[in-house]
Amino acid sequence: MSSPARSKISLPLGALIVAVSGFCAGAVFIPGLIESSSPKAVSTILPSGIIGSTVYVLFWLAVSFLLSQHSGQGLGKMSQRTAVWFSASMMPLLTYYPYLIYRTGVSGDTVELSPLAPRPSVILLLLWSLALLAVLLRMTIGKPASSMLSRFTRRPAVTLAVMICAWIAAFFILDLLKDQYMHVTTINSAVYREAMLDVTDPRGFMFSHLALSEGSSIFGAHMNVILIFILPIFRLFPDYRMLLLISDVALGLAAIPVYLLARRHFSTALSLLFAAMFLMVPIIAAQPGRSDFSELRFFPLLFLTTFYFFETRRFWWFTATALLLLTIREDMGLFVAIFGVYALMRRYPLKWIFAPLIAGSTWFLLSVLVLLPHLSPTGTAVRSTVRYSALGSSGSEIAKTILFRPWKLLPVALSTSSHIGAVFGLLISSGMGIAFFSGAIIFALPAVAELLFQQTTNLINFMAVPAAATLIVSFLYGLSRIDRIFHSFWKVEPGRTAAVLGVFMFFLALAPFHTWFNPDLYRPRYNYEAAREAFGMIPDDARVRLPEFMLAYAKPEQTLSGFHQATYQEDLEGGFIIKDDYIIIDRRIPARTGDDRYYNGLEDVTDFLITSPDFRIMYEQDDIALYVRNGYEPVTANENR
């Protein structure tokens, strides 16, 4: 990497910006360290900021003195050179302040175990900021050549392969543990496992009892055609963990097209850094680290590969990967169609414009208007009316709002603290606005809309994956343009601006790790043993309604239901039907900042069971209760074996 240019600011100005940075860092670090309940109170900010400012200015002067002794320069000149880097390096820590305010203002329980508490978060973010400072000082003061860097860049394919394999190994373990210890609160793994085990069901190809209100083909919810390609492997190894492995491998391999796209504009070292940045950005890391399996895990690999073939103008390879991209879901047609728009912006030949426009638009309209309503038991494309009800009561109303009343979109996108948090997280992970310097930002429009126009949202949900993949492209291209601008107007050496901003954004983009990483997810939940004991009393071939966190333990012969289905039935049909003979509930029904379908259904079913003469309670411990329909008898654990 090229070293950044020397700073020419005056010493008083340098002292001021370091003092301000230290003040802000102290105002974040000290309240987080003592876990203050009022981090935004003046009585907390002022003394914390003064302490931080004093300590950081002294630290700046001490480090500058040591560096001046080593280099032979005077303390004043060295302090001038390092002031900008000292002030900028605290940004990873400062990004925690909005989350600290939000966290301390939340009351009651949340749906999932809380991420890292303020104390470990601010300590690690301070260390992360100091690591950024060390790298920036090394780039400024150190020798241009680095033996360690040359070892990584000498054989980039090997470095990239090791990086990907290490990521897959580490995150696949996390993927398994959070499922095994009952911390997954969505149903995808169970839905897809059930559907792929029953591909010949007479009620529909890939039928699942868990899909929608009464069950249907999984294609009644989404056109997940890509699962057909995975089916042969799954039938050889019919375990939901195989789905996790395949999808984790796909996520890891997405680093390859990221590297190839970056390499067209940047050095080998910087391109490897961006590949690592993509793998570790919280949206991607949260998929195996915290979220459930989703077909969208395949999006980054296919989209970024398609984009690479688009850039290298390999039309038939582009066409093949674009068609594979369509198989992920119905709304992938929008992304393929945008390639046609982008080709027009880039003045590509006509075939690059019309082929993706026609293929993408046709697939999207065919899926939404014909296939999904036909395959859904509700007769509608239920997804849009459930997820985007704030924009309209039907697909056509939602479309009219987007096209003719766009001023209504912003209030929806910023309607809750979780929406605002998602916007803040996207801004950090996409380069603090760098992505807007590239026309490729148009690919992120449907992805970000998918994320922000829902009633509830967050960045750990699988819905955020397309946003991460599309924004990394516009970030890379925007950074390349900024580098050229600095070279043209200020005669900065080519690559130097990209190196500095690239390193800075790598540390900044990885700073919100606290939004997903939680060690408690990888050990048994508090009522794990009670849940296993209750589940052991259910026959292997029973009809059973389970909490979502237990679905991974269901047996293939059991007919499953989920509590979210009661909400679907209540919303769409005005009531719900209990066909299950065994029902396990978790009496601890926490409030949730995300999707409430499961919890609303759990409350409704619980109220029904308490007053129903058809069910009796057979087991109760640690908030877990097992209800059994009269006339059915639970079995002992030994009998069930």
Side-chain angles (χ1 to χ4, degrees):
M1 296 179 188
S2 303
S3 61
R6 298 184 180 184
S7 172
K8 297 181 180 179
I9 65 172
S10 65
L11 187 59
L13 179 58
L16 177 62
I17 62 175
V18 172
V20 170
S21 181
F23 183 94
C24 295
V28 176
F29 180 76
I30 294 177
L33 188 66
I34 64 177
E35 298 188 335
S36 170
S37 60
S38 57
K40 60 181 178 180
V42 176
S43 59
T44 302
I45 292 176
L46 192 58
S48 299
I50 293 173
I51 293 172
S53 180
T54 303
V55 171
Y56 201 50
V57 168
L58 293 175
F59 180 62
W60 165 57
L61 294 175
V63 172
S64 298
F65 174 76
L66 293 175
L67 292 174
S68 67
Q69 295 294 105
H70 178 73
S71 65
Q73 292 186 5
L75 174 60
K77 288 186 177 180
M78 183 57 67
S79 299
Q80 285 180 269
R81 292 183 64 184
T82 60
V84 171
W85 313 126
F86 269 83
S87 61
S89 65
M90 285 296 106
M91 276 301 297
L93 175 62
L94 299 186
T95 61
Y96 187 73
Y97 188 69
Y99 183 79
L100 183 65
I101 298 297
Y102 166 73
R103 185 188 180 96
T104 54
V106 172
S107 60
D109 297 322
T110 57
V111 59
E112 295 170 342
L113 295 172
S114 299
L116 287 177
R119 182 176 294 124
S121 291
V122 294
I123 290 174
L124 289 174
L125 281 171
L126 176 63
L127 296 175
W128 191 238
S129 294
L130 294 176
L132 171 59
L133 173 62
V135 173
L136 291 175
L137 291 177
R138 172 65 180 81
M139 294 173 67
T140 307
I141 310 299
K143 298 177 181 179
S146 169
S147 58
M148 179 179 293
L149 189 61
S150 64
R151 281 196 292 270
F152 281 109
T153 58
R154 187 179 300 119
R155 301 178 66 183
V158 174
T159 301
L160 190 61
V162 171
M163 180 194 308
I164 293 172
C165 290
W167 187 92
I168 292 172
F171 280 89
F172 179 56
I173 292 173
L174 300 184
D175 219 354
L176 292 179
L177 289 178
K178 73 181 193 305
D179 274 72
Q180 179 180 341
Y181 293 142
M182 300 184 182
H183 293 301
V184 169
T185 56
T186 47
I187 65 171
N188 287 350
S189 294
V191 168
Y192 294 139
R193 181 190 67 171
E194 187 181 43
M196 296 172 80
L197 286 173
D198 296 325
V199 291
T200 58
D201 194 288
R203 288 162 293 189
F205 180 65
M206 285 192 169
F207 178 88
S208 171
H209 288 90
L210 284 167
L212 300 177
S213 58
E214 289 292 336
S216 67
S217 165
I218 60 170
F219 300 136
H222 289 297
M223 297 305 299
N224 305 134
V225 183
I226 193 170
L227 297 178
I228 297 176
F229 298 103
I230 304 170
L231 186 59
I233 302 176
F234 181 81
R235 295 312 293 258
L236 289 174
F237 306 96
D239 191 300
Y240 79 97
R241 287 168 288 195
M242 180 54 64
L243 295 176
L244 298 180
L245 176 60
I246 294 172
S247 62
D248 289 344
V249 170
L251 276 174
L253 291 177
I256 296 176
V258 171
Y259 170 79
L260 293 175
L261 286 167
R263 192 66 187 90
R264 292 174 57 83
H265 303 275
F266 308 114
S267 67
T268 299
L270 198 55
S271 299
L272 289 170
L273 186 73
F274 289 138
M277 172 179 165
F278 175 77
L279 288 176
M280 296 304 297
V281 72
I283 294 174
I284 299 300
Q287 302 314 304
R290 193 167 179 182
S291 190
D292 193 13
F293 169 78
S294 167
E295 71 280 4
L296 289 176
R297 290 191 186 187
F298 300 99
F299 178 87
L301 177 61
L302 292 178
F303 172 78
L304 292 167
T305 302
T306 302
F307 202 100
Y308 175 72
F309 289 133
F310 177 88
E311 282 295 284
T312 54
R313 301 205 179 197
R314 303 181 198 180
F315 181 76
W316 293 113
W317 282 106
F318 164 79
T319 301
T321 53
L323 292 175
L324 284 175
L325 181 61
L326 290 177
T327 66
I328 294 177
R329 227 168 57 173
E330 65 281 355
D331 52 350
M332 297 300 104
L334 297 176
F335 295 95
V336 172
I338 289 176
F339 273 105
V341 178
Y342 192 54
L344 178 63
M345 294 168 57
R346 297 278 297 274
R347 299 181 180 180
Y348 272 37
L350 290 179
K351 65 179 180 180
W352 290 90
I353 300 172
F354 288 110
L357 269 175
I358 294 172
S361 301
T362 300
W363 173 249
F364 178 73
L365 294 174
L366 178 66
S367 298
V368 173
L369 300 179
V370 180
L371 296 177
L372 286 173
H374 176 73
L375 295 170
S376 170
T378 65
T380 62
V382 68
R383 175 171 164 267
S384 60
T385 55
V386 170
R387 292 192 180 276
Y388 311 112
S389 58
L391 299 179
S393 58
S394 65
S396 59
E397 286 295 323
I398 293 170
K400 290 178 182 177
T401 300
I402 295 174
L403 293 175
F404 303 114
R405 295 188 293 274
W407 58 87
K408 291 191 173 183
L409 301 181
L410 187 60
V412 174
L414 301 175
S415 58
T416 69
S417 57
S418 63
H419 284 80
I420 296 171
V423 172
F424 179 67
L426 287 176
L427 186 64
I428 292 174
S429 60
S430 61
M432 299 296 286
I434 290 177
F436 289 99
F437 282 81
S438 168
I441 192 70
I442 64 171
F443 287 96
L445 295 179
V448 173
E450 169 82 10
L451 185 64
L452 296 182
F453 292 159
Q454 299 180 64
Q455 290 180 305
T456 55
T457 189
N458 57 61
L459 290 186
I460 65 170
N461 193 282
F462 48 79
M463 294 294 182
V465 174
T470 51
L471 285 171
I472 190 67
V473 173
S474 53
F475 166 72
L476 294 175
Y477 283 40
L479 184 60
S480 175
R481 174 165 293 180
I482 290 174
D483 189 82
R484 293 195 301 270
I485 291 173
F486 271 68
H487 172 65
S488 299
F489 287 89
W490 293 283
K491 308 304 178 185
V492 179
E493 180 183 341
R496 180 172 293 178
T497 304
V500 176
L501 288 179
V503 168
F504 180 78
M505 287 312 310
F506 171 81
F507 281 83
L508 194 63
L510 274 56
F513 74 95
H514 52 80
T515 60
W516 73 268
F517 181 68
N518 180 3
D520 288 338
L521 292 176
Y522 314 119
R523 58 176 68 103
R525 64 187 290 128
Y526 77 99
N527 54 7
Y528 176 78
E529 294 299 334
R532 291 298 304 271
E533 187 174 352
F535 182 75
M537 300 172 66
I538 301 175
D540 290 350
D541 58 351
R543 291 186 64 99
V544 55
R545 189 176 296 245
L546 291 170
E548 293 179 358
F549 59 76
M550 290 186 63
L551 287 171
Y553 285 87
K555 297 179 173 63
E557 295 80 12
Q558 291 174 334
T559 301
L560 305 179
S561 297
F563 291 96
H564 78 291
Q565 292 172 300
T567 304
Y568 270 131
Q569 288 181 277
E570 187 74 45
D571 292 344
L572 298 175
E573 303 169 18
F576 59 89
I577 300 173
I578 301 293
K579 296 182 179 180
D580 318 282
D581 302 317
Y582 296 82
I583 301 176
I584 293 180
I585 66 171
D586 187 341
R587 289 189 178 279
R588 183 169 174 263
I589 307 175
R592 186 175 188 178
T593 57
D595 194 334
D596 281 326
R597 282 176 296 169
Y598 170 80
Y599 293 92
N600 291 338
L602 184 57
E603 288 179 329
D604 290 341
V605 174
T606 301
D607 292 341
F608 170 84
L609 290 174
I610 291 173
T611 59
S612 173
D614 299 327
F615 286 86
R616 66 191 188 280
I617 189 168
M618 294 298 299
Y619 176 86
E620 186 173 12
Q621 185 174 329
D622 291 340
D623 299 321
I624 296 293
L626 171 64
Y627 286 83
V628 181
R629 186 183 294 275
N630 293 329
Y632 289 81
E633 292 297 329
V635 298
T636 66
N638 290 332
E639 289 175 334
N640 215 19
R641 292 196 186 100

